[in-house]
Amino acid sequence: MSEIPETASNVVWQSSPPGSIYDYIKVASFSIGPDGLVDQWSRRAVDLFGITADEVRGKDPVEVFMPAELRPRGHRHVAEILDGKEWTGLVPFRMPGAGGGHGIAEVYVMPSETESGDKAALCIVVDVRALRRIETDLAASQAIFGQSPFGFLLFGTDLTVQRANQRFATVFGGAADDHRGRTVHDYLSRAEGDRMNASLRRVLETGESAIDLQIVGAAPGSTDRRHWSINLYRVHSGSGRPIGVAGIGTDVTRRHIAAREAASARRNLALLNEASARIGNSLDLETTARELLDVAVPGFCDLAAVDLLQGLLTGDEAPPGRWGSPHAEGYGGGAGSAELRRVAFASAVSDAPLVATPGCSPEGSAPTEVGAVHRYTFNSPCARALRTARVQSIPGEDGSLVQSTLAVPMVAHDTVVGMAQFSRTKGSEPFGERDQALAIELAARAAVCIDNARLYRREHERALILQRSLLPPGDPEAAGLDIACRYLPGNTATEVGGDWFDVIELPGHRTALVVGDVMGRGLRAAVAMGELRTAVRTLALLDLEPAEVLSALDEIARGLGSPSGAQQASRVAHKSRDADLSEVYLATCVYAVYDPVTRRCTFANAGHLPPVLVEPGEEALLLDVPPGMPLGVGGEPFEEVEVELPEGALLALYTDGLVESRDHPLDEGLRAFRTALTDPVRPLEDVCDHVLNTLDTRHGEDDIALLMARIQGLPVDAVGDWRLPREPRSVGRARELARAQLVTWDLEALVDTVELLVSELVTNALRYGEGEIRLRLLRDRTLVCEVWDAGLVQPRRRRARETDEGGRGLQLVGLLSAAWGSRRTPRGKTVWFELALPDGDSTAEPTVEQLLSMF
C-alpha cells in the first residue's frame, strides 16, 4: 500500500506491506487470449485457486474451473466477452487442496486488445467469502462505534480526535464529525485534561491499556460535576503499526453517588455499632453525654455539645414536658426553653473555641461553657427543636467557622430530656438526609440511656433511703458494750439487700443485739428485711425473752409470706411465677439480750450461724446455741442459752455472706473467721476492717452483715441493789437508800425526784404485788431505777377522777421521768423509770399546773 506524503509532487512508491487491504480482500487476476485460453496467471490466482500457472496457462478456463453442468453456459459467456462485452458474475470453483469443497468467486471480466488488435479479456477475481467477512466486520465495527451506548473516541497519534460516536456528541454537543481535530482540553479542566493526555501518551507509547481511569468534569452548559470511567487501548494497523488510541467513556456518576451513599451507610452503620458498644456503659448522666460525643466527634461531625434539662440533674421528680406541647412545663409564655445545663462539649478542630450556634445563643449571651445553666430564647431554632421534638437544620453564618448545625432533641419514651448539637465546619461535606436520620438515632440512643440513668438514680436513691432507714445509725451506743458494725450489700448496683443487724436499747441498760438474713437479695429482700426488722424492734420493746421474741417473729414471718386470697388465685393462674412467693420471707436470725450489770447474755437462734466469742488470751469459739428452724417455717419452739461474758471479751454476730461462698465450704470460712478474730486487742473498728480484708468474702455474691461488741460491763460502784421486806416501812427505807446512793454519785439534783418516784413504785409493789421487793439503781449514760416483786399483774396507768384518793402514782411517774415501763421476769415483774443525768439533756421540771392536774 502506498503512502501519500504531504507534497503531491514528491511521490514515493513502495511495495505493499503485509496486512494491506488486498491481503484481506484476496484479489487475484488472470487474462484470456483471443483464442479463449488462459495466457497469464497471477500469483494471487495461484493462492486463491491452488493451481499453478503451468497447470492452467493455455487451457480453457471454463473447463478448468467450472463444473460440467455449467460449462455450456460458461462457454457462451466467454464468447460474449471476447466479442467486447463486460461481464460480472459469481463463478463457483473448486477449493485448493485434497478433498477441498467448492468456493464462489466474484469475477469481473474486462475486454482488452492484444498488440495485433485481437480481442482478449482481463479477469479480476475476488473470493466472495473474504468480501462477506469484510462486510460483516465493517457492519459490526459501525454498530459498535455508532450504536454504542458509551462515548467512543478514536485519537490519532497526535492525540487529536479522529472520530467520535453519536453518544459522545449527544453529551458534549454538536454532530459527531464536529469533534474531529479536538483535544481533551476542549472537554476537561486543565488538571483533568493534563492527566488524560498523559494517560493517552502512555498508552500510545507502551501499548499497556488504561482501565477504569476516573475523570471528573462537567458537560458544556452544565455545572453538575460528572464522573466518567475511561478505558484506553492502542489501535494497530494490519501490519501491527500503532495508528492511535481508542477510548471508551462511561458515565459513572450514579455509581459514584451510590458508592458514596453505600460508604456513608457503612460509616453510619459502623457509628451505630460503636454507639451501641460505647453509649450507656455508665449510669451517670454526664458520662453518658460524653460517651455520645466520643462517638460523634470526629466520625460524624467536627463540633458537638449536649445540653440536659436541669431538672434531670437536680433530681427533680416532676417529669419533663411532653414533646409537641407548646404549653409543656418550661415552655410557657415568652421565657424561652426550659433550663438546660451544658454537660459536654467536643471538638475535632485544633484549639477550636466554643462556637455559638447561629440564633441559639442563650438569651443573647456568649457561647455556653460546660457546666453553665442557660435557656434558649423562645423563637430560636434550638428552643423550637425542644418544643416540637424535631430536628432543626441551622446554616452557618458568614465568617463563622461552622458550615451547618443539627439541633437534635433527645427524646426518650416521648419525653424530651435534653438536646444534642452536631456541627460541621466549612470544608466538610454538608449534612444530608441520611446524616439527619443518623443524628436522630444517635441522640435517641443516648436519650434512652440518660433516661435509664435518671430512673436508676431515682430508684437507687429511694432504695438507699429505704436501706439506711432500716439499719441502725453508724455508731450505735449501748451500756456496757463497745459496738462496731459493717454492712455490705451483695448487689453493689443498688446497695440494698436482705441482711440486717440492730442494736436495741432495753430497760435497765440492757441491750438487744440482732443479726438476721432474709433469703434472697435485692430490693424485695430489703423490703422483707425492713418488715421483719420493724417487727423485731416492736417485740423487743415489749421486753420479751429472746425465745418469745423469735416465736412471735416466726408467726409474723409466716403471715408475711402467705399469699392472700387474691394472691392465691393469681398463684393458680401463674403457678410458675409465684411458686416461691413465701420463700422471700424465710429468714434466719440471732437475738441476744445483754445485761451489763451481770455481764450475762441470753441467746436464741432461728436457723442462723452460731455467735463467735473471743475471751481475753483465748482462741475464738463458736457458742453452742441450738440453731432452731428459720423464721417463717413454724412448728418448732426456740431454745435459749445464757452465757456469762468476761470483761474484755469480744462477741461477733454475722451473716453467711462473710464466711461462705461458692469457692470454699462453710467450715473453711468459719475457721478463717475465727483465725481473724484471735487477736482482738486492737480497736474494735480495726478488728472489723481486719476481718473484711482478711477473709475471701467474694463480695457481690451475697450480702454481708457483721456486728461486733466488746464486753465492758457496768462498774460495781455504778450499781445499787437492795432487797426490802414486804412491810410498810420499806417505803421509807427505799427512799433513804436511794437518797444515800445518789449523794454518793454526786447526783443531789435528782434526789427529790427519785425519792418521790421510788416511794410511788415501792408503795404500788406493797399494795398490788407479791413476795419480796427488790430495788435497783443503775448509773450509766442515764439513771435507771427498777423495783421488782413476785406479782404477775402489770401496772396500768389510768386517769384518776376528782373524787379518787389514789390512782395518780403512775401519772406522776410518767410526768417526772424521761421514760418508764414494766416487764415480766421469770419470777414476777419489774417496774422501772429512767431519768437524764444533770449534765445531760435533763427533763424539764413539771409546772404547777401539771402537778395540780393530777389531783
Side-chain angles (χ1 to χ4, degrees):
M1 179 177 178
S2 61
E3 292 185 353
I4 301 177
E6 295 180 358
T7 305
S9 60
N10 186 18
V11 178
V12 178
W13 299 89
Q14 65 179 28
S15 61
S16 177
S20 69
I21 187 65
Y22 301 107
D23 287 334
Y24 291 106
I25 298 177
K26 295 185 179 180
V27 178
S29 67
F30 65 92
S31 62
I32 300 176
D35 54 3
L37 302 178
V38 175
D39 60 359
Q40 291 184 0
W41 188 257
S42 70
R43 291 182 180 179
R44 287 187 180 273
V46 173
D47 296 336
L48 176 64
F49 297 108
I51 301 174
T52 64
D54 294 336
E55 294 175 336
V56 73
R57 188 181 296 117
K59 294 183 179 181
D60 186 350
V62 175
E63 298 292 332
V64 174
F65 300 114
M66 300 185 69
E69 63 272 14
L70 297 179
R71 288 173 185 172
R73 186 177 177 184
H75 285 297
R76 287 195 302 270
H77 284 299
V78 171
E80 293 176 353
I81 293 170
L82 292 176
D83 287 340
K85 184 179 180 180
E86 292 186 359
W87 181 82
T88 301
L90 298 177
V91 177
F93 68 92
R94 187 180 298 108
M95 300 289 293
H102 288 83
I104 297 178
E106 185 177 74
V107 181
Y108 176 54
V109 182
M110 296 175 292
S112 64
E113 293 182 357
T114 63
E115 294 179 357
S116 61
D118 294 329
K119 299 289 183 68
L122 176 64
C123 300
I124 305 299
V125 183
V126 179
D127 189 345
V128 172
R129 294 174 304 163
L131 288 177
R132 298 295 180 266
R133 188 163 52 246
I134 290 174
E135 289 177 354
T136 302
D137 290 346
L138 288 175
S141 175
Q142 182 61 30
I144 292 174
F145 196 86
Q147 303 174 18
S148 171
F150 310 114
F152 217 125
L153 287 177
L154 180 62
F155 295 91
T157 55
D158 59 352
L159 303 185
T160 61
V161 177
Q162 300 298 314
R163 186 177 180 184
N165 70 345
Q166 187 58 41
R167 174 60 182 168
F168 182 86
T170 300
V171 175
F172 287 92
D177 292 340
D178 295 341
H179 295 275
R180 294 180 183 272
R182 294 183 180 180
T183 66
V184 293
H185 287 93
D186 295 322
Y187 308 105
L188 302 175
S189 64
R190 182 175 183 83
E192 292 290 87
D194 290 344
R195 194 160 65 89
M196 180 74 175
N197 233 20
S199 298
L200 286 170
R201 185 171 290 104
R202 184 167 53 253
V203 171
L204 185 64
E205 293 174 355
T206 65
E208 296 181 0
S209 301
I211 306 300
D212 196 21
L213 176 64
Q214 296 294 316
I215 297 296
V216 180
S222 173
T223 57
D224 294 338
R225 288 167 57 89
R226 311 297 295 178
H227 295 261
W228 292 288
S229 173
I230 307 296
N231 296 312
L232 302 176
Y233 59 93
R234 190 168 67 181
V235 180
H236 304 85
S237 66
S239 62
R241 178 173 55 86
I243 60 174
V245 177
I248 302 175
T250 305
D251 191 337
V252 293
T253 304
R254 291 184 179 180
R255 185 197 310 169
H256 182 80
I257 294 174
R260 186 173 60 188
E261 290 180 349
S264 176
R266 287 193 297 270
R267 182 199 66 185
N268 293 354
L269 182 60
L271 276 174
L272 290 177
N273 290 336
E274 185 181 5
S276 299
R278 298 180 63 179
I279 299 176
N281 293 322
S282 170
L283 288 173
D284 179 74
L285 300 178
E286 291 86 346
T287 302
T288 302
R290 288 193 295 270
E291 290 170 348
L292 168 62
L293 300 193
D294 290 341
V295 172
V297 180
F300 176 68
C301 61
D302 302 315
L303 303 167
V306 174
D307 299 330
L308 295 182
L309 290 177
Q310 178 70 353
L312 297 181
L313 301 169
T314 57
D316 187 3
E317 289 297 324
R322 294 276 176 175
W323 64 271
S325 172
H327 302 293
E329 179 183 350
Y331 300 110
S337 70
E339 276 197 341
L340 300 162
R341 184 192 300 175
R342 177 65 53 84
V343 295
F345 173 81
S347 172
V349 182
S350 178
D351 299 328
L354 294 173
V355 177
T357 303
C360 281
S361 296
E363 299 181 346
S365 64
T368 308
E369 299 283 345
V370 175
V373 177
H374 61 90
R375 290 176 182 267
Y376 290 114
T377 55
F378 186 82
N379 293 321
S380 66
C382 292
R384 187 161 53 250
L386 290 170
R387 285 197 304 273
T388 62
R390 294 181 180 178
V391 62
Q392 300 290 316
S393 180
I394 308 170
E397 296 178 337
D398 294 339
S400 172
L401 174 69
V402 175
Q403 177 196 75
S404 61
T405 298
L406 294 178
V408 187
M410 304 176 71
V411 182
H413 308 111
D414 291 342
T415 299
V416 176
V417 298
M419 184 177 65
Q421 296 181 48
F422 305 107
S423 301
R424 287 182 178 173
T425 57
K426 292 182 178 178
S428 299
E429 185 177 354
F431 289 114
E433 292 184 2
R434 291 180 180 271
D435 294 323
Q436 287 196 18
L438 177 62
I440 293 172
E441 179 66 22
L442 289 174
R445 294 194 179 200
V448 170
C449 295
I450 287 173
D451 195 52
N452 289 340
R454 176 184 68 85
L455 294 175
Y456 161 77
R457 184 171 66 180
R458 184 184 66 185
E459 297 305 320
H460 184 219
E461 290 175 352
R462 291 177 178 177
L464 283 180
I465 292 172
L466 171 66
Q467 183 76 54
R468 292 166 182 170
S469 68
L470 296 177
L471 293 176
D475 298 315
E477 296 181 354
L481 293 176
D482 183 14
I483 302 291
C485 50
R486 294 290 187 274
Y487 174 78
L488 300 176
N491 190 342
T492 56
T494 60
E495 298 186 21
V496 296
D499 289 11
W500 90 91
F501 64 90
D502 211 343
V503 179
I504 307 171
E505 293 187 51
L506 300 177
H509 289 313
R510 294 172 304 130
T511 302
L513 304 176
V514 189
V515 167
D517 183 0
V518 176
M519 294 183 183
R521 293 190 299 175
L523 190 57
R524 296 190 68 192
V527 171
M529 175 270 285
E531 294 173 325
L532 293 177
R533 178 180 177 271
T534 302
V536 170
R537 294 190 71 87
T538 302
L539 294 169
L541 294 178
L542 295 177
D543 213 354
L544 302 177
E545 296 297 324
E548 293 178 331
V549 170
L550 292 186
S551 295
L553 194 62
D554 178 57
E555 294 292 333
I556 294 173
R558 280 192 291 165
L560 294 175
S562 299
S564 63
Q567 290 172 320
Q568 187 65 41
S570 176
R571 171 177 281 184
V572 174
H574 309 280
K575 182 179 292 184
S576 61
R577 186 187 67 183
D578 293 337
D580 296 331
L581 180 61
S582 62
E583 292 184 8
V584 175
Y585 294 100
L586 290 177
T588 63
C589 181
V590 169
Y591 185 88
V593 176
Y594 172 69
D595 188 341
V597 178
T598 61
R599 292 201 309 275
R600 301 188 69 83
C601 190
T602 305
F603 296 91
N605 190 351
H608 202 80
L609 295 174
V612 175
L613 178 65
V614 186
E615 297 185 6
E618 301 291 338
E619 293 184 355
L621 299 174
L622 296 176
L623 294 180
D624 186 12
V625 180
M629 299 299 292
L631 301 175
V633 175
E636 294 292 333
F638 298 98
E639 299 183 36
E640 293 181 357
V641 172
E642 189 175 68
V643 179
E644 184 174 350
L645 306 178
E647 186 76 18
L650 181 65
L651 178 66
L653 305 179
Y654 53 96
T655 57
D656 57 358
L658 182 67
V659 295
E660 186 178 23
S661 74
R662 64 186 65 175
D663 295 333
H664 56 72
L666 177 61
D667 291 343
E668 182 179 335
L670 287 173
R671 186 163 51 251
F673 181 39
R674 292 165 55 193
T675 302
L677 292 175
T678 301
D679 183 18
V681 178
R682 66 184 73 182
L684 203 54
E685 293 290 340
D686 294 346
V687 175
C688 285
D689 293 337
H690 174 70
V691 168
L692 294 178
N693 293 332
T694 301
L695 298 185
D696 184 14
T697 60
R698 299 289 178 182
H699 178 44
E701 293 183 3
D702 197 4
D703 307 327
I704 295 175
L706 175 62
L707 177 61
M708 289 189 176
R710 178 168 284 131
I711 308 302
Q712 296 176 344
L714 286 181
V716 176
D717 57 3
V719 178
D721 194 355
W722 306 276
R723 296 181 184 274
L724 302 173
R726 190 170 188 77
E727 54 188 32
R729 63 177 183 173
S730 294
V731 177
R733 178 59 178 163
R735 289 197 298 267
E736 295 174 359
L737 294 173
R739 183 190 307 111
Q741 187 63 64
L742 292 177
V743 172
T744 303
W745 288 340
D746 295 328
L747 298 178
E748 290 85 354
L750 298 180
V751 168
D752 293 339
T753 302
V754 171
E755 280 188 336
L756 177 58
L757 299 185
V758 165
S759 176
E760 291 295 335
L761 294 187
V762 174
T763 300
N764 283 347
L766 289 173
R767 182 176 300 177
Y768 305 109
E770 300 176 5
E772 186 180 38
I773 299 172
R774 185 176 177 183
L775 172 65
R776 188 166 74 170
L777 292 179
L778 306 176
R779 181 182 183 272
D780 191 65
R781 290 171 298 153
T782 61
L783 178 69
V784 174
C785 176
E786 298 177 332
V787 176
W788 296 358
D789 69 81
L792 298 177
V793 179
Q794 295 291 320
R796 180 173 61 88
R797 183 176 178 179
R798 64 183 179 84
R799 186 170 185 84
R801 292 172 295 187
E802 294 182 359
T803 57
D804 291 341
E805 296 182 359
R808 298 176 176 84
L810 292 182
Q811 291 187 45
L812 188 63
V813 174
L815 182 63
L816 298 181
S817 63
W820 78 278
S822 66
R823 66 178 184 275
R824 279 182 285 182
T825 63
R827 293 178 298 277
K829 67 176 182 298
T830 300
V831 183
W832 58 271
F833 66 84
E834 184 176 0
L835 294 173
L837 299 181
D839 55 349
D841 295 331
S842 302
T843 302
E845 291 292 329
T847 64
V848 175
E849 289 76 8
Q850 289 175 325
L851 291 175
L852 291 177
S853 67
M854 296 185 296
F855 298 94

